[in-house]
Amino acid sequence: MITIFSPDHALHDAPHEFLDGKLIPPHEAPVRARIILEALERADFGPIQPPRAFDLEPIRAVHDHGYLAYLAQAYERWVAAGGDPAAVLPSTLAVRWMSRRSVGPLVAPGYYSFDLSAPIVAGTYRAARSAADAALTGAALLLEGQQLAYALCRPPGHHAGHDLYGGYCYLNNAAIAAQYLGDGGWGMGDGDTLDSYPPSPIPHPPQRVAVLDIDFHHGNGTQQIFYERDDVLFVSIHADPAREYPYFAGYADEQGAGVGRGFNLNFPLEASVTNARYLAILEQALIAIADFAPRFLVLSAGFDTFGGDPIGDFALTADAYPLIGQRIAQLGLPTLVVQEGGYAVAALGENATGLLRGLNGM
Ligand code: Q9C
Ligand code: ZN
């Protein structure tokens, strides 16, 4: 297995998040990636490499142009317009019946975000690009014949939609990688500009890619990005949104639309899910993926399913993760693991290496 990690993740270091009416210390912090990296170094799974530098083309295949242009400059424009230099956090959100575009420096965050849990600081865009680069590098390695790669991404990505950030996520690393895999590696350039659009045509029909999301929270961003597609299957096992974040998406009746109908599969679960219960649901998810017969698997891996997680309510123990990895490995698919959430920092190393041990058949 090859791990891809960039120290640039630490450029994203939010001062706070807004939760239940309070500004609190952010759950999504640089220490998360450091802890996982240290555990990986001890575990000796194989080489740990920095990401290759990709240009914006493979990211633009998933995200809106105006959204990317906004993210790239959000912080500087916010501060220049008098916003609090601590972080960008909107005061007004575009919601139903109030969704006209408005992108002044102090209001754009309200247009491009769906909650107050994703502050933007000076280094957020660079960190998010380094995470996308890590996922893209993992995808490129699979295209070059590797069977397993782990992109230790931070900030995470699965809540970020086509033109929306939130839930600690800005660029949807897993979706960007899945798109790149389906496109057979199209879009690696050497520029770094938003001006080279429209994108060059993809030279061949897409390969089928499955995205399995095992973060505690529903991957609403990934679901949105692929909702009307039949070449990418999205399967998510998560807390029932009737009870847990992201609240407004992730129900079982969300099955895809248009040609994508039947290619989106949600497993919303009750609180206190045990290892046995989780593994039984995973079995159903894996059957759907096997039926789809994809060329590649992208695994959005969160460890906030752990019983000790401060913002989750499942009851998985550390023993669950090697078993989950083992079962997923039995699909026999070239697999890219993309790091998503997990906030029980003291247990993150054991849980991440556990999953990877299972995936590696160790
Ligand atoms: N009552 C990821 O795990 N706030 N994002 C939750 C719960 C935001 C989670 C509030 C949680 C975002 C990548
Ligand atoms: Zn999560």
Side-chain angles (χ1 to χ4, degrees):
M1 182 184 79
I2 299 181
T3 295
I4 310 98
F5 169 79
S6 168
D8 286 354
H9 79 85
L11 295 168
H12 176 64
D13 191 358
H16 49 228
E17 68 174 283
F18 196 72
L19 181 62
D20 302 334
K22 293 181 283 270
L23 271 184
I24 60 167
H27 288 98
E28 205 296 291
V31 60
R32 299 179 54 248
R34 280 202 298 272
I35 292 267
I36 296 176
L37 182 68
E38 281 164 19
L40 281 180
E41 284 166 348
R42 283 195 303 272
D44 201 23
F45 283 117
I48 300 174
Q49 303 176 355
R52 307 174 193 173
F54 287 77
D55 73 7
L56 275 170
E57 272 194 295
I59 299 176
R60 285 179 40 233
V62 159
H63 287 292
D64 175 72
H65 174 260
Y67 176 71
L68 295 172
Y70 165 68
L71 281 183
Q73 301 171 359
Y75 182 79
E76 287 73 18
R77 290 180 62 220
W78 166 270
V79 172
D84 185 346
V88 177
L89 211 57
S91 322
T92 309
L93 298 179
V95 295
R96 57 193 179 283
W97 296 104
M98 283 187 28
S99 53
R100 300 291 291 266
R101 192 163 182 271
S102 184
V103 294
L106 296 176
V107 301
Y111 179 72
Y112 284 122
S113 68
F114 64 90
D115 71 15
L116 302 185
S117 65
I120 293 175
V121 297
T124 296
Y125 182 69
R126 272 180 299 159
R129 284 290 300 272
S130 81
D133 278 350
L136 282 163
T137 303
L141 288 165
L142 295 196
L143 290 166
E144 290 158 18
Q146 283 287 327
Q147 185 70 9
L148 183 62
Y150 173 47
L152 207 187
C153 294
R154 209 197 136 262
H158 74 150
H159 295 304
H162 174 67
D163 60 358
L164 275 176
Y165 67 92
Y168 316 149
C169 303
Y170 307 86
L171 298 178
N172 193 316
N173 308 309
I176 291 164
Q179 178 73 39
Y180 188 78
L181 284 165
D183 290 344
W186 165 85
M188 167 121 190
D190 52 9
D192 187 19
T193 165
L194 278 161
D195 303 327
S196 60
Y197 63 97
S200 36
I202 297 164
H204 50 72
Q207 300 263 16
R208 292 152 80 89
V209 180
V211 181
L212 173 60
D213 190 322
I214 59 169
D215 187 275
F216 171 76
H217 304 97
H218 176 244
N220 58 294
T222 316
Q223 166 170 299
Q224 185 228 342
I225 287 165
F226 298 122
Y227 206 64
E228 295 181 25
R229 299 262 298 264
D230 63 359
D231 57 329
V232 178
L233 174 71
F234 179 65
V235 182
S236 181
I237 304 172
H238 52 266
D240 191 333
R243 171 182 95 253
E244 278 289 347
Y245 186 92
Y247 307 114
F248 309 114
Y251 288 84
D253 64 0
E254 296 160 21
Q255 294 171 1
V259 297
R261 180 140 191 95
F263 296 90
N264 192 89
L265 184 56
N266 285 329
F267 292 94
L269 301 181
E270 67 284 359
S272 307
V273 165
T274 60
N275 294 3
R277 166 85 172 133
Y278 194 92
L279 288 164
I281 298 294
L282 178 65
E283 221 51 50
Q284 296 181 43
L286 295 177
I287 289 168
I289 291 169
D291 284 351
F292 179 67
R295 175 76 184 80
F296 299 102
L297 176 68
V298 175
L299 180 65
S300 265
F303 302 102
D304 32 13
T305 48
F306 180 61
D309 196 275
I311 62 171
D313 68 9
F314 285 0
L316 299 200
T317 65
D319 301 337
Y321 298 102
L323 298 171
I324 292 168
Q326 224 171 66
R327 287 298 297 117
I328 293 169
Q330 281 169 17
L331 285 171
L333 293 168
T335 298
L336 170 64
V337 184
V338 176
Q339 182 61 47
E340 303 285 0
Y343 310 98
V345 173
L348 264 184
E350 183 182 5
N351 292 342
T353 52
L355 179 78
L356 295 170
R357 228 181 324 117
L359 284 165
N360 276 286
M362 294 161 65

